[in-house]
Amino acid sequence: MRMDTKERHQARVELVIDIIKGIFEKETISEALKQKLNQMSYDDLGDFVLDIAKNRSLDKIE
């Protein structure tokens, strides 16, 4: 079983934010969305980014 550190989790959150900005051509994202991403688990973040890359939608989180 791997141990997820705060640093590793934060790096994934930042990566997801960058991906969202790229897919939706946004310069910034809302603080509410950032908070929701920070509350997600490391694995959920991975699943989430795969879902938005495939569906091009943030409906599941916003």
Side-chain angles (χ1 to χ4, degrees):
M1 184 173 167
R2 74 170 183 261
M3 296 294 291
D4 292 324
T5 64
K6 288 182 182 183
E7 294 84 14
R8 185 173 173 193
H9 182 266
Q10 189 58 42
R12 182 165 275 193
V13 168
E14 291 173 15
L15 179 62
V16 170
I17 289 170
D18 288 343
I19 291 169
I20 290 170
K21 287 179 181 178
I23 289 173
F24 298 103
E25 298 178 352
K26 294 183 175 190
E27 298 220 4
T28 61
I29 64 168
S30 71
E31 285 300 315
L33 179 55
K34 287 180 186 179
Q35 288 178 352
K36 288 178 183 179
L37 292 173
N38 278 306
Q39 292 172 353
M40 295 174 80
S41 73
Y42 185 86
D43 290 333
D44 287 344
L45 286 165
D47 292 340
F48 174 70
V49 81
L50 289 173
D51 187 57
I52 62 169
K54 183 172 72 173
N55 297 318
R56 301 292 200 250
S57 173
L58 289 172
D59 290 341
K60 289 187 176 183
I61 196 166
E62 289 189 315

